[in-house]
Amino acid sequence: MTDQQVVAHPDAAVSAEFTELASDERIAKAAAALERNGIRPLLAATGADARGLVGSLLVDGAEVYNNTSQTLQAIGVADDIERSGRYRPLRLRLYRMDREMQRRELRILAASPDYVVGSVHALTEGGSLLIASASGSQLGPLVSGAGQVILVIGAQKIVGDVATGMRRIYEYCYPLEDARARRAYGVPSGVNNVLIINKVMAPGRVTAIIVKERLGF
Amino acid sequence: MSDRITPMSMFDYDARPVTPGVVLVGTRASRGAYAIRDFLSRNGYPFEWVDAERPDAVAAVLGAADVEPSALPLCILPDGSRLASATVEQVAAGLGMVAAPSRSVYDLAIVGAGPAGLAAAVNAASEGLRTVVVEAVAPGGQAGTTSMIENLLGFPDGISGSELATRATVQARRFGAELLLARPLVDVSADGPGYVAELSDGTLVLGRAVLFASGVEWRRLDVPGVDDLLGAGVYYGAGPSEALACTGSRVVVVGGGNSAGQAVVRFSRYAQQVTLLVRGRDLGASMSQYLIDHVTAIPNVEVRVRTQMVSLEADDRLRAVIVGSGDSPEPVRLPADALFICIGGAPRTDGAAGIGLVTNPAGYLVTGSDVARWPGSDWPLPREPLPLETNLPGVFAAGDVRYGSVKRCAAAIGEGSMAVALVHRRLAEVGGD
């Protein structure tokens, strides 16, 4: 969802705390910290600019997996990946495979795309990234399986530290994601897995695009 | 947060397309709707099937519970546009799958994007030949509809036919081969030393050499009522688009080969009961042993050997099959909701009928050393026909469509690959560009 479509959270106080757009100073602080941690930061003024940046980073013909992400859907990146014809979208390929007879192929394909594109639930001013996942399937590629990682992060997700980031996940993101999962899949969600990326050892592998708009949860 | 965890495949939870696919509204008895389902499924295009006889489902996608019967099948494309009385050709065009050839002349025009055709495309394009593949439906051919191929070299855990087709297509395109999909070949004619292939929409493709890798189509079952019910409970082939729809159904599969066996395995996971009808004495005549072991171990599968179809029982759709067995003098009635016919293939050479290609009585293309001794071949050159070359210089055949080929996926891949070396010799012979 865009800046104009902030999701209604059941707790107004929680919502106020975790939807506030970070100041330019905090954005710069987080970006500098990311860079020190081995993550390349890029800045985008708008979701449209971020979409363009993602397009410039992806190589035509590459296998791309777009993580389940309100951010990516809101700015059109999910469309670009799945429908443009420029890439080999793994979601479509996985969807057509037989869950029983091609179980092993599914696991292998999903685990190591050329590119994974997604977002995070929190970015700390110290340059740590926090991502929660119910199934966990999207975390392995982020941390090691994918060749390249591109993350689009609305600036409302910047928090002071890891503890606040965890609180953002449990208090703000989880109720919204739970409601979404119930609508989409008919089952509840859960903070079943949490990935915290502090530093990235492989140079150039992870790019974080910080967007000066409220995007996603 | 609840302490309970709802078990769910992580792929069902996460790995679905997030962008809208195709929505197809129709009736299960509609042949046109089946053709579109089959086309989308074989091309790997996600779609949602909406039964027009379920008002709640129709209302959910159309906003109204009623839909004009004359508008069915109704197809809603990802951009929101609607196709009433949709055809496969319209759907393919609407999805941007109908591309025009980019060149006026190709070194090699390949008819058919099954294993033989795709192998030829990969090898030809990788060696710098300007290569185009024309395909009537979808990449993969008959092998592409097989749920699992377990004896293909290099795949110790097996590979699905659709995945093999996907990888081969990506590979061929990566080397620069073009694929012209969703249009069958209607005619081939000579043009100087080369040939012109005409597709169903009038597209013309000029190739300095041609490779027929068009495979086979399912041999027709000569039983009363089959043609009337095609797409309405009776299907030729393994019906990859129909597996989920057979949930809880009684499925009958006819055939004794690997395709029939894999279809049985696939449907057994959804159907209440699967019955395999085999005319022969046992499964060993045509089915690989690993598959026989698998099929005979599935609890909801019954194998009836020495059994033939006699007739069908149906009203607006299939209700039962009547079979005759060597073990019983009286026909037996088997309740059935779906019948899948996998009784082997007839070579697909329709588009080549007018150009004078020699075939054996069963229609398979005659090639190589067989050409010289075949009546009516009239080989025109001083040299002998090259292996895989038909009676027309520069026209080759590979895979199941070829007389004398081994009818296996691996053999087809080998022949398609091998054909490229022969094409090079032909191109050197005719010279020019």
Side-chain angles (χ1 to χ4, degrees):
Chain A
M1 58 219 63
T2 65
D3 194 45
Q4 289 74 37
Q5 297 171 329
V6 175
V7 179
H9 191 278
D11 187 327
V14 168
S15 179
E17 179 184 2
F18 292 120
T19 59
E20 181 182 352
L21 205 59
S23 65
D24 288 349
E25 290 79 5
R26 293 184 72 207
I27 291 173
K29 185 176 182 182
L34 285 171
E35 189 149 33
R36 287 194 302 272
N37 292 342
I39 298 166
R40 178 170 67 149
L42 297 176
L43 299 183
T46 65
D49 291 342
R51 182 182 186 182
L53 281 174
V54 172
S56 71
L57 293 170
L58 293 174
V59 171
D60 284 3
E63 276 183 347
V64 182
Y65 189 89
N66 47 309
N67 278 354
T68 305
S69 165
Q70 299 299 295
T71 301
L72 297 189
Q73 280 186 259
I75 65 176
V77 167
D79 265 343
D80 292 341
I81 292 170
E82 292 189 9
R83 301 294 174 197
S84 70
R86 288 180 59 191
Y87 317 109
R88 286 183 279 156
L90 280 182
R91 275 190 179 272
L92 271 68
R93 192 161 155 198
L94 294 170
Y95 187 68
R96 69 182 281 207
M97 294 169 75
D98 189 301
R99 265 59 173 146
E100 287 297 320
M101 302 189 77
Q102 298 176 259
R103 194 179 312 174
R104 190 169 182 278
E105 288 171 278
L106 279 162
R107 281 193 295 108
I108 293 171
L109 259 183
S112 53
D114 291 335
Y115 290 85
V116 62
V117 184
S119 185
V120 304
H121 291 110
L123 161 61
T124 74
E125 291 177 21
S128 290
L129 301 164
L130 288 83
I131 309 108
S133 171
S135 72
S137 63
Q138 300 181 122
L139 301 185
L142 287 172
V143 75
S144 77
Q148 294 284 311
V149 179
I150 302 171
L151 301 168
V152 181
I153 307 169
Q156 85 281 12
K157 299 183 179 182
I158 294 177
V159 297
D161 51 33
V162 170
T164 309
M166 290 296 288
R167 199 161 55 80
R168 189 176 195 277
I169 287 173
Y170 277 92
E171 295 179 14
Y172 180 71
C173 300
Y174 165 68
L176 295 175
E177 171 58 24
D178 184 56
R180 187 200 70 82
R182 289 174 190 271
R183 284 193 308 271
Y185 314 132
V187 296
S189 185
V191 186
N192 301 327
N193 306 274
V194 179
L195 171 67
I196 303 175
I197 299 176
N198 292 319
K199 294 182 190 296
V200 172
M201 295 175 68
R205 182 174 173 271
V206 180
T207 300
I209 303 171
I210 304 175
V211 189
K212 292 166 71 170
E213 274 186 9
R214 293 182 188 85
L215 297 174
F217 290 157
Chain B
M1 181 165 47
S2 169
D3 288 334
R4 292 187 61 195
I5 299 172
T6 303
M8 184 177 240
S9 156
M10 63 181 185
F11 297 107
D12 287 327
Y13 193 88
D14 285 331
R16 313 174 183 192
V18 298
T19 53
V22 170
V23 177
L24 182 63
V25 184
T27 61
R28 287 219 59 86
S30 163
R31 191 176 301 196
Y34 169 68
I36 296 172
R37 288 200 305 273
D38 183 58
F39 174 78
L40 292 172
S41 176
R42 291 173 62 184
N43 277 286
Y45 211 101
F47 67 95
E48 178 186 355
W49 165 250
V50 177
D51 190 337
E53 292 166 355
R54 289 189 49 211
D56 55 334
V58 173
V61 296
L62 297 183
D66 293 327
V67 57
E68 275 295 319
S70 62
L72 299 177
L74 176 67
C75 187
I76 306 173
L77 299 178
D79 63 4
S81 60
R82 298 184 176 190
L83 299 171
S85 306
T87 64
V88 169
E89 292 74 17
Q90 291 170 334
V91 171
L95 295 175
M97 297 172 71
V98 183
S102 70
R103 298 179 186 275
S104 57
V105 59
Y106 294 87
D107 295 314
L108 177 61
I110 301 168
V111 182
L118 288 172
V122 167
N123 283 274
S126 69
E127 293 175 11
L129 296 181
R130 297 165 296 183
T131 306
V132 65
V133 184
V134 301
E135 165 56 50
V137 180
Q142 188 179 63
T145 66
T146 301
S147 55
M148 185 58 66
I149 305 168
E150 295 191 55
N151 53 3
L152 190 59
L153 184 70
F155 296 96
D157 298 297
I159 185 167
S160 69
S162 62
E163 184 63 12
L164 181 65
T166 298
R167 294 184 186 197
T169 303
V170 168
Q171 194 176 15
R173 283 180 166 145
R174 187 164 74 85
F175 285 120
E178 290 179 43
L179 273 75
L180 306 180
L181 301 178
R183 287 155 290 177
L185 178 76
V186 296
D187 191 35
V188 177
S189 56
D191 185 281
Y195 299 89
V196 175
E198 181 180 357
L199 308 185
S200 59
D201 65 348
T203 298
L204 299 178
V205 176
L206 174 58
R208 298 171 64 214
V210 175
L211 173 66
F212 272 90
S214 41
V216 296
E217 56 191 353
W218 294 106
R219 196 156 55 82
R220 279 1 208 185
L221 183 64
D222 187 16
V223 166
V226 164
D227 286 347
D228 296 334
L229 288 169
L230 272 181
V234 177
Y235 311 92
Y236 279 100
S241 63
E242 306 306 296
L244 195 58
C246 287
T247 301
S249 300
R250 296 159 300 188
V251 171
V252 174
V253 178
V254 179
N258 283 358
S259 293
Q262 287 293 355
V264 166
V265 172
R266 172 192 273 147
F267 288 118
S268 71
R269 295 178 30 242
Y270 299 92
Q272 173 195 122
Q273 171 73 25
V274 180
T275 304
L276 176 62
L277 307 179
V278 182
R279 194 168 56 177
R281 290 183 168 277
D282 56 50
L283 293 176
S286 305
M287 194 178 293
S288 298
Q289 187 60 49
Y290 78 89
L291 198 46
I292 294 173
D293 295 340
H294 197 170
V295 165
T296 53
I298 301 174
N300 65 332
V301 171
E302 178 192 13
V303 179
R304 287 175 168 253
V305 296
R306 299 200 301 156
T307 300
Q308 296 188 67
M309 289 276 303
V310 174
S311 63
L312 304 180
E313 182 185 300
D315 36 50
D316 63 328
R317 58 173 297 117
L318 182 69
R319 300 298 176 190
V321 301
I322 313 300
V323 301
S325 167
D327 297 325
S328 167
E330 293 296 322
V332 174
R333 178 182 183 276
L334 303 176
D337 304 300
L339 170 66
F340 296 89
I341 304 168
C342 307
I343 56 171
R348 195 179 285 124
T349 50
D350 293 348
I355 200 176
L357 283 169
V358 168
T359 66
N360 81 328
Y364 292 91
L365 293 175
V366 174
T367 61
S369 58
D370 287 328
V371 169
R373 56 187 180 82
W374 212 269
S377 63
D378 294 326
W379 177 251
L381 300 181
R383 66 163 173 86
E384 297 293 319
L386 300 170
L388 305 187
E389 191 171 31
T390 67
N391 62 299
L392 297 180
V395 179
F396 299 84
D400 285 3
V401 75
R402 192 180 72 83
Y403 168 66
S405 69
V406 173
K407 306 299 188 257
R408 284 285 187 267
C409 181
I413 291 171
E415 289 196 359
S417 307
M418 177 181 148
V420 175
L422 306 171
V423 167
H424 275 295
R425 290 167 64 176
R426 169 61 181 173
L427 294 179
E429 180 178 66
V430 298
D433 186 11

